[in-house]
Every structure is written in C-alpha cells, then in structure tokens.
Amino acid sequence: MVPVNGSTEAESIDLYEILGIESSATKVEIKKAYHKAALSSHPDKVPEHEREDAENRFKNVSQAYEILYDDEKRARYDRFGMADFTTSGGMGGMGGDVDLEEMLSHMFGMGGMGGFPGMGPMPRGPGGRKQKGKDVVQQYEVSLEELYKGKTVKLASTRNILCSLCKGSGGKDKAKAKKCATCSGRGWNQNLRQVGRGIVTQENVICVPCKGSGDVFREKDRCKKCKGHCVIEEKKVLEIYIPRGSKEGDKIVLQGEADEAPDHETGDIIFLLEEKDHNVFSRAGADLMAPLHVSLAEALTGFSRVVLKHLDGRGIQITHPKGKILRPRQALRVEGEGMPHKKGDGKGDLFLIVDIEFPKDGWIPDVNGIRKVLPEWTGEQVQVEQVDDVTFDPEGDIEDFGNADESGGGVWVDEDDDDDEDSGPQCAQQ
C-alpha cells in the first residue's frame, strides 16, 4: 500500500479500496471495515523490521475512515478526490506525524495500556510525548454554608514520587538495565481471561517484574533508596479552595498531584463536590428556598420581625403590612438573597414559603369576639332536598385518595382447595 504523504500519491489513492468496501457502503459497514483493517495493520502485531510499513498502513486506514465516515468529507472526496485533502501535506489535513495512541483513543474511546484485545500498549508519539498517568477522583462533601461563603481546605496527602537518587530509573548510577525476561522487553504480557461461559478473551497487563518499563536491574545494581521501585513515598499537605457559589458536581482540580511514574506525565487529583442536605434551605441553581413560619394572627394582621438566620449568620427581617393577608404556600421572593454567582458579584433570589401555624386543639377562643372582627362567609348557600348529617375523620390521609375498593368492600377469594370445577369463587366481606 502506498503511504499517503504527497499530493501526487494522494490523488491516486482509493479510500474505499483501502478499507476494502464498495463506494455505496453504509456508515455501519465503513466502521466495521475500519475496525477489521485497524486490527490487522496495527504495528504491534508485526515483527520489528515490518513495523514502519505497518505504521504507514495503519495511518492510511485511520485517515480513510476519518474521511469516509464523515458525510461532508465523504461528499467532497466523492466529488473532487484526494486533491481536496492535501493542502496540509497529508490526507484529511492530518499531516505525516500522527500519534497512533491519540488516534485510537479518538476513534474507539480507548488507548494507553488497554487498546484492543491482543494488542500491546500503544507506542509513544513521534514527538516523544509522554502518556498521562491516571487521575485520582475523590468525592468531597461540603455544607451549603461552605458553598455560600467559600472555603479553603488543607488535606494530608500520601503519593508516590520519582526517586530523587536514581531519577526514577530504579538503578544505581551508571548501572545498565537488562531486558526483562518475563515480558521480553515489551513491558506487558498477554493473559487469557474468561468473560462468560465458554468465552475467553485476550488482555494485556503491565509486566510486574519490570513495572511496564521492559527493563530490569540486577539486585546488586538496584537503587539503594527506592530498592529498584523507581518511586518513593511522599507525604505533603494539599490546599484546595472551594469558590463561593460552587454547586453539586463541580470539580476542584489539583494538576500534577497524583502518583508519579517513570516516563509518564503525572495525573491530577480531582475533587468532586457533593452537597450535604440542609435542614432549612433547599437550592435550585443560584436560588434558595426556605419556610416562613407565621402565626394565624400574623398572617391576618401583619408583622415585622427576624424570620430567618441566613447561611452566613445574618438575620433576615420581614415586615409584612396590615391589610395584606398571607395564605398557606404563598411565596415571598427576596431578590439578591440567594446563592452567590461564581463569576461576578451577583446573587440568586430567596423564596420564603408561607407556613401558617394554626392554634392547637384545646384552644378556647372568644368565639363571639372573633366572629365580630372576621368577615362573614359570603359563599352561595347549597340548595338540596335532602340533608344527611355525616361523621368524618379529622386525621384523613390524602395519600389514601383513589385507593377505595371499587367492588363495594368485598374481594373475591377461592376457598376450594380441590380445584372443583363446580365450585365457583366466593365473596369474603372485609
């Protein structure tokens, strides 16, 4: 297969031929063909002396997929050919230097030490870019008060860092490592793993003796400080700042604070914020909601008092005028007393939901006096021919609404244990 690097060569390339498909192939057929071709042409599946040619084939297959799987690019290719994709010196504008690991990660959602079953770890890019180590993700629980005001937290951390004596090599100064006999210098080994009944798959795992490096030192040549492990343990204090106005699911990232490993870019520690439930406030975005407890007299005649302690300790005072009646579940909106925005000085709003506290049973009022000051009922009198004086349960549960038995209080049961066809069901009264 001819490498696609120059415009003259590129114009003679048939992308459909590269993937082994017809020009009428569907996107499903294109993707299936690409997977098959990528596996068969991957550099790790050929001997060392054939690797360069395999890399070129792999790039061509991947670039062909990039063009044909994209409807717009495919239409351009079908109309103009490869001449429309060679302005940057390579097919699809990707150029000659293609990072295979990054390409696989983009196309398949994988990469690094995993890859496809039967493949080894992906090679580093042409520029020698290091593979990034694993990030550490931790849940961090915070209160609504802390999210309202912001918070700085200090945490004790223990992690692995590269040995300062051997600089992460694992060996003494000027000592030479030998190829690992366990993995033959690959840094990984193939294992068979059963994934189901009668189903076995191949997977690649990091070689334990060489820790994925492919090289090992003899015991006498190992670094005295790290004992050949390349890393040592470090304890330090980390400081994280939770900005005011942060919310559930926000991430606090400490870059480069995860474990160090030889020949790897150090990963990050990521704190995922988890908001604790509050016993007074509830939150929706930048808005807050809280109950406003008032007496029946206050609901009818007005009041002026501190009704709430805010998240920063301030008292919130409400003055409700006479002549404006408060009703159950009514919402009073207080602008600018919600959660602060993470950017700028703005805040959301606070919604106070009216909760009227009625007198308890046993309270004996001046009935006549109350009737004199309260407005009389002005509704329309119900006109009927017959009146029934009924009893009622004052503790009725609205959750029972709709659960009445439509059969009139009875349920059908079959009391015949002998399965006698002549015996029908009987009604048992509840």
Side-chain angles (χ1 to χ4, degrees):
M1 188 179 297
V2 181
V4 183
N5 292 321
S7 59
T8 303
E9 292 174 329
E11 292 172 4
S12 64
I13 289 296
D14 185 340
L15 300 186
Y16 295 103
E17 182 180 346
I18 290 177
L19 294 181
I21 55 177
E22 301 293 334
S23 59
S24 59
T26 64
K27 296 186 74 170
V28 173
E29 292 171 335
I30 293 173
K31 190 169 187 178
K32 184 176 180 180
Y34 171 52
H35 286 189
K36 182 179 178 180
L39 285 172
S40 63
S41 61
H42 193 274
D44 281 353
K45 297 184 72 66
V46 298
E48 183 70 28
H49 65 279
E50 298 179 9
R51 181 158 295 182
E52 185 176 352
D53 290 339
E55 287 182 358
N56 288 329
R57 291 196 303 270
F58 185 80
K59 292 174 187 177
N60 290 348
V61 167
S62 299
Q63 292 170 339
Y65 170 80
E66 184 203 9
I67 292 177
L68 297 183
Y69 195 75
D70 184 285
D71 292 335
E72 181 181 349
K73 292 180 180 179
R74 183 179 183 180
R76 286 166 50 197
Y77 170 74
D78 289 341
R79 184 175 181 183
F80 303 108
M82 284 308 301
D84 202 39
F85 295 90
T86 57
T87 55
S88 60
M91 188 161 58
M94 294 181 67
D97 291 336
V98 180
D99 188 329
L100 301 184
E101 179 181 356
E102 184 175 346
M103 186 185 301
L104 273 180
S105 177
H106 173 72
M107 294 295 182
F108 296 97
M110 56 181 67
M113 298 302 257
F116 298 103
M119 289 187 185
M122 299 298 115
R124 294 172 62 181
R129 180 175 59 83
K130 292 182 179 180
Q131 179 183 341
K132 186 176 180 181
K134 289 185 178 180
D135 293 332
V136 178
V137 181
Q138 294 184 353
Q139 297 281 344
Y140 187 78
E141 196 174 50
V142 286
S143 67
L144 193 55
E145 285 86 354
E146 292 167 338
L147 295 175
Y148 183 86
K149 295 180 289 185
K151 182 182 181 182
T152 299
V153 185
K154 292 185 177 181
L155 301 167
S157 171
T158 302
R159 67 166 184 164
N160 291 330
I161 62 171
L162 295 181
C163 176
S164 58
L165 182 60
C166 66
K167 309 302 181 185
S169 68
K172 294 179 180 179
D173 187 28
K174 297 182 180 179
K176 292 184 178 180
K178 293 187 175 182
K179 182 184 293 186
C180 177
T182 304
C183 64
S184 301
R186 293 188 304 268
W188 52 273
N189 292 300
Q190 283 187 347
N191 285 352
L192 295 178
R193 182 168 65 93
Q194 185 170 347
V195 295
R197 188 173 182 179
I199 302 176
V200 177
T201 184
Q202 282 186 334
E203 64 178 4
N204 297 330
V205 295
I206 296 177
C207 179
V208 175
C210 69
K211 299 178 179 59
S213 67
D215 297 319
V216 292
F217 288 94
R218 292 178 297 180
E219 187 172 353
K220 68 176 184 177
D221 292 333
R222 294 174 185 170
C223 173
K224 293 182 178 180
K225 188 172 183 178
C226 67
K227 309 301 182 185
H229 295 295
C230 304
V231 294
I232 58 175
E233 192 175 85
E234 177 195 53
K235 294 182 179 180
K236 64 183 298 186
V237 176
L238 300 177
E239 185 173 282
I240 63 173
Y241 173 65
I242 302 172
R244 57 197 297 267
S246 298
K247 62 182 183 300
E248 172 103 11
D250 281 358
K251 296 178 180 179
I252 310 295
V253 181
L254 299 182
Q255 293 184 341
E257 290 293 348
D259 286 334
E260 294 182 355
D263 205 32
H264 280 68
E265 178 186 346
T266 306
D268 306 326
I269 296 180
I270 302 173
F271 291 94
L272 197 61
L273 298 185
E274 185 176 344
E275 185 178 307
K276 296 179 184 177
D277 291 334
H278 200 275
N279 58 355
V280 175
F281 293 92
S282 56
R283 177 184 184 181
D287 292 334
L288 291 172
M289 185 171 64
L292 173 60
H293 300 289
V294 298
S295 67
L296 179 58
E298 288 177 322
L300 298 175
T301 63
F303 62 92
S304 180
R305 63 179 173 86
V306 175
V307 297
L308 187 68
K309 182 179 180 180
H310 212 315
L311 294 169
D312 58 359
R314 293 179 295 118
I316 301 298
Q317 178 158 325
I318 292 292
T319 298
H320 196 269
K322 298 178 183 179
K324 287 186 177 290
I325 308 300
L326 288 178
R327 292 169 174 79
R329 303 303 299 167
Q330 182 178 342
L332 306 185
R333 180 174 181 173
V334 185
E335 293 187 6
E337 286 295 347
M339 294 292 294
H341 298 304
K342 291 181 69 174
K343 296 182 179 179
D345 298 327
K347 290 184 178 181
D349 299 331
L350 170 63
F351 291 80
L352 298 175
I353 309 301
V354 175
D355 179 16
I356 300 177
E357 298 178 353
F358 285 83
K360 295 181 180 179
D361 290 343
W363 175 64
I364 303 177
D366 180 0
V367 177
N368 292 329
I370 292 177
R371 289 185 180 276
K372 289 180 181 180
V373 298
L374 292 178
E376 295 183 357
W377 182 68
T378 57
E380 182 180 352
Q381 184 69 35
V382 179
Q383 302 294 329
V384 296
E385 295 182 358
Q386 180 180 340
V387 176
D388 285 341
D389 192 2
V390 299
T391 60
F392 61 90
D393 179 6
E395 303 297 332
D397 190 346
I398 192 63
E399 297 296 330
D400 292 335
F401 179 72
N403 293 333
D405 184 6
E406 295 183 2
S407 64
V411 293
W412 292 102
V413 296
D414 188 357
E415 296 182 348
D416 186 2
D417 294 336
D418 297 330
D419 295 331
D420 188 352
E421 295 183 357
D422 295 333
S423 176
Q426 301 179 7
C427 180
Q429 198 70 24
Q430 289 182 329

